[in-house]
Amino acid sequence: MKSLRAILTPAELPGLRQSDLADRLCVVFDVLRATSTFITALHHGANRIIPVSDIAEALAWREKAPQALLAGERHGVRISADLTGGIEFDLGNSPREFTPEVVCGRTIVSTTTNGTLALNACAGAAVVLAGSFLNLTATADFIRHHPAEEVILVCAGTGSSAALEDVLAAGALAHRLASPSAGFKLADSAAIAWRTFLSGEASVAEALSTTDNGRRLLGIPDLRADVAFCGQFDCYPLVARQTAAGLQRFAPT
Ligand code: MLT
């Protein structure tokens, strides 16, 4: 029987990074907003997203690949020239910025506070996916047909703390996967996420607006619409998979 467990806080990421993930499938959730944004960008035709851990790494990519778009946030807002020694990033981390006109065919290099770190912590896994409410069912369908013995739901969190929106999305995926016929054994960590999701299922969009991150974004006029945007279920039916080239839309062969 396959097993399902969850990483609920960023404090668990160093342990995950050091563990043997060779047979594992990891799904990373940073609902507000990194993974929601990357999935939106891929839906709108971005060629690939390269998640990097810090600003210096993003700037090094600008040297290597001058046509790549630089994206990301610090304290929620686009990285500005005063943080980089003079280079303005092209995009922030709002999914609504990643329109087809801006991203179609482009490589995007992104650094965010938690999301890109969580994706990179899973680098040793057999499969790494980016998950969100926006692509929940497509992600569940992919996992159901994948042979990995253990699936790890990785909640990116906020700073060093757990983020409720990530746990809700991990729980929603656990709920999609762990029907009796699907044959998943849930660790306590995955059961916590599942029960959290079931307790707020009727109103995920409303629940997002009460989270620490949701309230922070609602307090920034240009970003407040991101909260409702990221709470939509299944509007982008794609699987976002990390490859050697970066995060890409998975196309079955
Ligand atoms: C993160 O990676 O921590 C988030 O996506 C932050 C944000 O979008 O504001």
Side-chain angles (χ1 to χ4, degrees):
M1 185 180 270
K2 292 182 178 203
S3 62
L4 194 57
R5 71 177 165 106
I7 296 292
L8 298 172
T9 78
E12 298 169 78
L13 289 178
L16 183 71
R17 189 190 289 276
Q18 282 156 23
S19 59
D20 179 5
L21 297 174
D23 299 327
R24 309 289 194 268
L25 184 158
C26 292
V27 191
V28 178
F29 294 94
D30 188 344
V31 168
L32 294 175
R33 300 160 292 170
T35 54
S36 300
T37 296
F38 299 160
I39 287 150
T40 303
L42 293 174
H43 177 79
H44 287 155
N47 180 31
R48 59 181 176 147
I49 322 283
I50 300 170
V52 297
S53 298
D54 55 32
I55 292 173
E57 211 181 325
L59 294 173
W61 268 96
R62 168 57 54 88
E63 299 280 307
K64 272 195 290 199
Q67 356 32 7
L69 295 171
L70 296 189
E73 56 69 38
R74 288 298 177 270
H75 306 294
V77 298
R78 183 190 302 200
I79 294 168
S80 58
D82 54 321
L83 292 179
T84 65
I87 294 175
E88 290 283 347
F89 273 39
D90 303 294
L91 293 157
N93 195 35
S94 167
R96 294 172 302 114
E97 292 175 88
F98 290 66
T99 59
E101 297 71 29
V102 174
V103 302
C104 191
R106 304 298 296 266
T107 290
I108 299 166
V109 177
S110 175
T111 172
T112 70
T113 316
N114 281 63
T116 56
L117 301 183
L119 279 163
N120 289 335
C122 301
V127 177
V128 183
L129 306 178
S132 70
F133 289 110
L134 305 175
N135 69 340
L136 195 72
T137 299
T139 302
D141 289 345
F142 175 92
I143 294 170
R144 221 176 269 118
H145 295 108
H146 194 275
E149 284 301 304
E150 184 175 57
V151 175
I152 308 176
L153 309 172
V154 180
C155 299
T158 302
S160 55
S161 306
L164 177 57
E165 64 277 9
D166 298 338
V167 178
L168 283 171
L173 185 64
H175 183 58
R176 291 269 198 291
L177 289 175
S179 67
S181 57
F184 275 92
K185 181 165 70 71
L186 264 66
D188 285 358
S189 52
I192 289 169
W194 185 358
R195 289 180 194 204
T196 303
F197 168 66
L198 285 184
S199 70
E201 192 186 8
S203 57
V204 160
E206 202 182 303
L208 291 198
S209 67
T210 68
T211 64
D212 290 346
N213 264 327
R215 282 184 279 118
R216 175 179 59 87
L217 291 166
L218 289 172
I220 305 173
D222 284 351
L223 303 181
R224 52 182 306 135
D226 289 353
V227 179
F229 185 96
C230 296
Q232 303 173 92
F233 277 81
D234 288 326
C235 54
Y236 300 143
L238 66 89
V239 175
R241 182 172 180 173
Q242 185 75 26
T243 68
L247 193 63
Q248 293 190 298
R249 187 179 184 137
F250 172 71
T253 47

